[in-house]
Amino acid sequence: MRCEYKDDFKVDYSGSLHITKGDGVDLVVKGGQIPANAKACLDSAVSRNSCHELRAAAKAVTKTINEAFYKE
């Protein structure tokens, strides 16, 4: 499923997650690297065909990546 948003974000999820925004953001997270709870949310968004839910789930994935950088 691919969704495009007014603020130029694009989220594509088909097992792996691909997030882009203009020329500054191009992030790919392979399916095996996505936490199970986030993967469930991504799959749910796809099954409901909900771009709103897909963006929220993608944001949750990026939050876990960001948090990992600050763990000591």
Side-chain angles (χ1 to χ4, degrees):
M1 177 174 178
R2 180 180 171 93
C3 297
E4 297 183 14
Y5 304 92
K6 292 179 184 179
D7 61 357
D8 201 29
F9 269 103
K10 295 178 180 97
V11 177
D12 188 2
Y13 177 70
S14 58
S16 292
L17 179 63
H18 187 193
I19 302 168
T20 59
K21 181 173 182 179
D23 294 330
V25 175
D26 191 355
L27 173 70
V28 176
V29 183
K30 293 183 180 181
Q33 301 299 318
I34 300 171
N37 60 336
K39 190 164 182 53
C41 292
L42 290 163
D43 290 337
S44 175
V46 170
S47 70
R48 296 172 191 244
N49 199 32
S50 173
C51 284
H52 175 74
E53 288 182 32
L54 186 64
R55 183 175 176 136
K59 186 176 179 179
V61 172
T62 60
K63 182 178 177 187
T64 63
I65 294 168
N66 188 49
E67 289 172 349
F69 278 102
Y70 295 102
K71 284 187 179 180
E72 293 184 23

